[in-house]
Amino acid sequence: GCITAISDCLEDGCSVEAMMKLDQKLAEEEATIAASFAEIKNRQKTGYSEENKGTLAWLENFLRRTGGLRAQLLALKGKGIQDHDFIKQMLRAASVAFGGSRN
């Protein structure tokens, strides 16, 4: 998915423009996850399930992390930061939050 693409981009190096394209893809995936979250949450109202409770917690955490990552990407873009090493460091730190390596 998109998180893997961001990690690959960090490992192999890519432009800020490429990162912004990944942000667009992340936004699309985020919308899909948000729709699933809403559907499962609605299902919980009529038929509670412990499994759904765990799924909702995972999805909510994912949405929070992707929102944070996207906010960082947009903030860096909005400030016109051209220091690619700085951007890579910021994004590498954010990718660790998604379970990526610290290398």
Side-chain angles (χ1 to χ4, degrees), residues 3-96:
I3 302 302
T4 302
I6 290 172
S7 293
D8 290 346
C9 193
L10 291 172
E11 297 276 329
D12 301 335
C14 64
S15 67
V16 174
E17 292 78 20
M19 276 293 181
M20 291 300 105
K21 287 181 183 179
L22 288 171
D23 174 64
Q24 284 181 312
K25 179 66 178 159
L26 187 58
E28 293 168 11
E29 288 184 9
E30 189 177 24
T32 301
I33 297 289
S36 295
F37 178 83
E39 180 184 323
I40 294 169
K41 190 172 182 179
N42 192 40
R43 210 177 312 143
Q44 277 292 80
K45 293 177 184 176
T46 58
Y48 180 83
S49 159
E50 194 64 33
E51 181 179 348
N52 284 345
K53 179 182 176 185
T55 301
L56 286 170
W58 188 91
L59 291 173
E60 187 173 34
N61 184 37
F62 179 85
L63 289 170
R64 193 172 33 255
R65 290 182 295 153
T66 56
L69 176 57
R70 292 193 64 238
Q72 288 178 6
L73 286 170
L74 294 175
L76 291 172
K77 180 184 176 195
K79 292 182 181 190
I81 294 175
Q82 297 300 313
D83 182 346
H84 295 289
D85 288 335
F86 174 73
I87 292 170
K88 280 181 163 181
Q89 288 174 353
M90 289 289 295
L91 295 173
R92 186 169 285 119
S95 75
V96 168

